[in-house]
Amino acid sequence: MTQARIALVTGGLGGLGTAICRALAEAGRKVVAVDVAAPEERVAGFRTALNGFEAHIETADVADFDACAALVRKVEDEHGALDILVNNAGITRDSTLRKMEPAQWQAVIDVNLSSAFNLCRHALDGMQARGFGRIVNISSVSGQTGNFGQTNYAAAKAGLHGFSMSLARETATKGVTVNSISPGYIETPMTLAMPEAVREKTRASIPVGRLGQPRDIARAVAFLTADDAGYITGANIPVNGGLYMAY
Ligand code: NAD
């Protein structure tokens, strides 16, 4: 039997991250969920959501370049070569630009965008040497359309598209694909934090007529990271219920 491919999912204990871990475990991957902290109650919720599927948990701050180096080394030492990387960790610090503090700007850029550099930089050599890699960066519809109060977040998420397309070109002949996914509004703690009136208005604007579920994103990740998905690279897959259509 060939060894299961190893998948690292950042923000792995979060709403989308948990669903992504489960989908990859269901697809037969050996999953490592990484999060900035792993308090007991979140780990318990994660295990319940995995419903019997296995995943290892590591803690690291993906905004920290050296911590990402140590994380990749640890995962490869303990579990084996890293084949699949899902850069999913993200935060919002919403504010109109006129009121935005430099710390709000920087934190969002560091966690949502620099993290992809930090991890790809350390994971890529091995992937290229082995001739196989699947990288998926979780962006956002906000990075395609912009969003009121989200200059920081939209800039980081739009940045991920440029990052993904450029890295896809650099790795295309090496068996490594790099793609992004742009979720619309998905029911997770991030969107549950929106006031109910705003959520209702949002729901009304989505052609499919509902917010997305984390598994809607997870199945797109499983699709892009499949062994036979090698001809899809530099692409962005919108998973938004028709909220934003463009070609
Ligand atoms: P979430 O808040 O449930 O999960 C995010 C996870 O990232 C959390 O577990 C958090 O602890 C972790 N994290 C934060 N900072 C970190 C750090 N420095 N290092 C490591 N981990 C860190 O949010 P979510 O809704 O699951 O979002 C997942 C991704 O999807 C994010 O990148 C988000 O921007 C994106 N997204 C979400 C939606 C949505 O509607 N929920 C829409 C578009 C894009």
Side-chain angles (χ1 to χ4, degrees):
M1 205 179 96
T2 52
Q3 222 201 322
R5 293 201 185 278
I6 294 169
L8 186 76
V9 180
T10 71
L13 300 185
L16 299 189
T18 300
I20 293 167
C21 287
R22 177 165 171 174
L24 294 181
E26 282 178 0
R29 307 322 197 171
K30 188 169 177 185
V31 175
V32 182
V34 179
D35 217 297
V36 70
E40 252 173 51
E41 70 281 3
R42 291 194 77 195
V43 171
F46 175 79
R47 297 270 178 232
T48 304
L50 255 65
N51 199 24
F53 285 97
E54 283 284 315
H56 302 271
I57 297 174
E58 298 287 346
T59 54
D61 177 358
V62 296
D64 180 330
F65 183 76
D66 294 334
C68 289
L71 172 69
V72 171
R73 257 196 321 270
K74 184 165 192 263
V75 168
E76 298 210 322
D77 285 351
E78 290 181 10
H79 305 291
L82 185 54
D83 299 311
I84 298 167
L85 169 62
V86 184
N87 289 307
N88 163 76
I91 58 168
T92 52
R93 297 285 183 270
D94 294 358
S95 161
T96 57
L97 184 89
R98 293 182 66 198
K99 293 184 183 155
M100 191 177 288
E101 296 295 336
Q104 287 172 286
W105 170 266
Q106 202 57 52
V108 167
I109 298 294
D110 289 350
V111 176
N112 293 274
L113 178 59
S114 302
S115 58
F117 167 75
N118 293 344
L119 278 161
C120 290
R121 181 69 180 75
H122 298 295
L124 200 60
D125 279 354
M127 288 180 178
Q128 292 207 159
R130 294 184 297 275
F132 182 89
R134 297 281 180 264
I135 297 172
V136 177
N137 297 315
I138 305 297
S139 181
S140 169
V141 67
S142 295
Q144 299 174 287
T145 63
N147 202 12
F148 187 94
Q150 291 198 319
T151 51
N152 49 2
Y153 184 76
K157 294 305 194 183
L160 278 178
H161 295 307
F163 176 90
S164 303
M165 292 187 289
S166 302
L167 189 57
R169 288 181 188 276
E170 292 180 17
T171 61
T173 60
K174 314 284 187 201
V176 179
T177 66
V178 188
N179 294 290
S180 56
I181 292 174
S182 294
Y185 289 92
I186 313 296
E187 278 187 10
T188 70
M190 194 177 257
T191 47
L192 284 170
M194 290 159 68
E196 183 48 37
V198 178
R199 275 161 53 82
E200 200 37 59
K201 210 170 143 204
T202 303
R203 195 184 341 265
S205 69
I206 300 171
V208 167
R210 64 170 175 87
L211 267 67
Q213 292 299 318
R215 65 176 173 277
D216 292 322
I217 306 304
R219 69 196 308 275
V221 175
F223 171 73
L224 288 174
T225 56
D227 282 19
D228 59 0
Y231 206 62
I232 307 174
T233 197
N236 173 52
I237 311 280
V239 185
N240 61 26
L243 177 67
Y244 175 66
M245 301 183 194
Y247 77 100

